[in-house]
Amino acid sequence: MPVTRRWDVVVAGAGPAGAATAAFLAEAGCRTLLIDRARFPREKPCSDYVAPGARSVLAKLGVLGALEQRGEPVHGMEVTSPSGTTLRGDYRGGSGFGMPRRELDAQLVELAVARGATLWEETRAEGLTVTLRGAPALRARHAGHTHTLSARVVVGADGLRSAIARALGGGTRVGPRRLALVAQIADVEGLHGVGEIFVAGGGYVGVAPLPGGAANVAVVQPAARAHRGMSGSALFWTELAHHPDLHSRVRDRPVLRGVLATGPFGWRSQRAVGNGVILVGDAAHFFDPLTGDGVAAALHGAALAAQVILQALGRLDVPTRRALAPYETMHRRLFGGRWSAQRLLGAAVAHPRLFDLGLRALTQRRELGDRIVQFAGSVAPVSSLFQPLATNPRPA
């Protein structure tokens, strides 16, 4: 098993969390290796949407303007209940944008390389070991060989089924078990600059506008409804038929990219740090796509991880778990309220009548609806949902 030269940091996973972490660290002068099992650009089952809360990190990375020019602006969110009640909320103070993950992720990987990171594509993370010097080492399969990648810090950004998270003790399932079936469809009628969510039958469908009149359509359903022997494409259209208004808008339109599947969702790692190891993005905690803020959360987590890693590397050759513990504390402080609110929203989706009653009530208080949408877009904290409302309700 060849031992590859020692790096300051090895980042496993080159999605937004991993690529952004690598970019921050390489820019600060760390010898950084970024690996991913794919070759970029590559497709990814996702909502193809960047919430406005990601703007601050993308600006810090220096790519916000370029990405916004290529993306489709999204100014708010529109939610439709099983009975047809619709609530629209506006982000205010900055829009999100729709962009295929194929393009977004490739742009962030290119940024990391431009900042000085080394990229190994088609490289699979297999697990962790410890070197004789006590440093973490990542076992990875690259170019037909298993390598031991020695580093001062290993960053696990390898997603929902993270090999790094398993090595730290695994994780627990949280919230409803749901699957997502995602397609990109051309010439979708009725797009009007907002993300759309249609709730019914214990699941939901999300629609994110993409450039050129296309849309990402994501069917998210209870995992128990997946039919054995049915293809992902057949299941996608079967489930979409439960939403007749949306189905009529997309059924005869060209499919730009076939249906991709991901899930089941609902994952939280047992811990986010170890001796010389730190988890970011979905490897640490998966965000249900209902609120569409997964990319924003990944980027904020990357910025936080890079900050803690740089501070720890400035004091120690190999940072201990205790030295990296501030990341876990700040990560919980940054996302803890959001996780709890997401679980409540996820539970409400599983009870259509309850969701319908709640949405009807919100249509009578537009200000609260705006706050919920701003929270979903990561532009307002969860505490904003509990601040006093204006005295007089405003019509929807």
Side-chain angles (χ1 to χ4, degrees):
M1 182 183 294
V3 178
T4 304
R5 70 183 179 87
R6 194 173 186 227
W7 304 85
D8 289 320
V9 183
V10 173
V11 182
T21 302
F24 281 125
L25 294 172
E27 184 182 31
C30 292
R31 294 169 299 165
T32 304
L33 175 65
L34 176 63
I35 72 170
D36 197 279
R37 63 183 179 180
R39 176 167 291 277
F40 291 84
R42 56 94 169 94
E43 301 291 352
K44 181 76 173 178
C46 186
S47 61
D48 289 342
Y49 169 65
V50 180
R55 295 172 62 89
S56 60
V57 183
L58 292 174
K60 188 181 298 185
L61 289 167
V63 294
L64 176 60
L67 291 175
E68 279 192 308
Q69 287 182 354
R70 294 167 57 186
E72 182 70 16
V74 178
H75 302 292
M77 188 178 293
E78 199 170 80
V79 184
T80 301
S81 76
S83 71
T85 301
T86 297
L87 170 73
R88 172 170 171 161
D90 297 321
Y91 289 135
R92 300 181 185 178
S95 63
F97 56 90
M99 172 179 281
R101 282 287 298 273
R102 178 183 176 87
E103 298 178 26
L104 173 68
D105 291 12
Q107 183 85 11
L108 293 174
V109 168
E110 289 175 10
L111 174 68
V113 173
R115 295 280 174 89
T118 298
L119 174 66
W120 282 12
E121 297 174 289
E122 298 179 329
T123 304
R124 182 181 296 274
E126 296 183 338
L128 288 175
T129 60
V130 178
T131 67
L132 293 176
R133 299 180 58 181
L138 178 68
R139 295 194 313 275
R141 189 74 176 171
H142 173 71
H145 300 283
T146 298
H147 296 256
T148 299
L149 304 172
S150 179
R152 299 169 69 189
V153 174
V154 171
V155 177
D158 48 338
L160 188 59
R161 296 169 184 83
S162 167
I164 315 303
R166 289 198 301 271
L168 282 184
T172 57
R173 291 285 179 188
V174 292
R177 287 175 57 83
R178 294 190 173 113
L179 297 170
L181 302 160
V182 188
Q184 292 173 356
I185 299 177
D187 304 327
V188 176
E189 296 179 348
L191 299 176
H192 48 285
V194 299
E196 302 173 69
I197 296 176
F198 300 84
V199 176
Y204 57 92
V205 179
V207 180
L210 295 174
N216 175 290
V217 180
V219 174
V220 183
Q221 62 171 34
R225 283 223 300 270
H227 301 291
R228 292 183 179 179
M230 182 179 286
S231 70
S233 179
L235 187 56
F236 174 87
W237 291 107
T238 297
E239 290 293 323
L240 199 60
H242 296 156
H243 306 269
D245 291 342
L246 176 60
H247 187 258
S248 66
R249 290 165 56 191
V250 302
R251 64 185 174 193
D252 297 323
R253 303 301 174 184
V255 177
L256 298 175
R257 186 201 66 199
V259 175
L260 302 177
T262 185
F265 305 142
W267 161 268
R268 181 177 61 204
S269 62
Q270 295 284 13
R271 51 182 181 162
V273 299
N275 290 328
V277 182
I278 196 165
L279 301 178
V280 294
D282 292 345
H285 195 297
F286 186 85
F287 277 73
D288 190 298
L290 175 63
T291 52
D293 58 347
V295 170
L299 292 171
H300 280 282
L304 183 60
Q307 173 190 331
V308 172
I309 289 169
L310 289 172
Q311 290 174 349
L313 289 179
R315 295 184 288 111
L316 298 166
D317 181 46
V318 178
T320 62
R321 180 182 178 186
R322 182 176 181 180
L324 296 174
Y327 170 76
E328 209 161 38
T329 301
M330 291 187 284
H331 192 265
R332 192 178 302 113
R333 187 180 302 143
L334 182 62
F335 296 123
R338 184 165 294 276
W339 293 332
S340 298
Q342 278 202 338
R343 284 196 288 274
L344 287 173
L345 288 171
V349 166
H351 298 84
R353 180 171 174 77
L354 175 64
F355 188 92
D356 192 60
L357 290 172
L359 202 68
R360 287 184 186 182
L362 287 174
T363 60
Q364 304 304 311
R365 303 303 298 257
R366 175 61 185 270
E367 182 183 356
L368 183 55
D370 281 346
R371 289 186 189 181
I372 289 174
V373 168
Q374 289 157 17
F375 159 76
S378 294
V379 292
V382 67
S383 59
S384 67
L385 303 179
F386 304 100
Q387 294 173 357
L389 297 171
T391 304
N392 298 315
R394 289 187 288 168

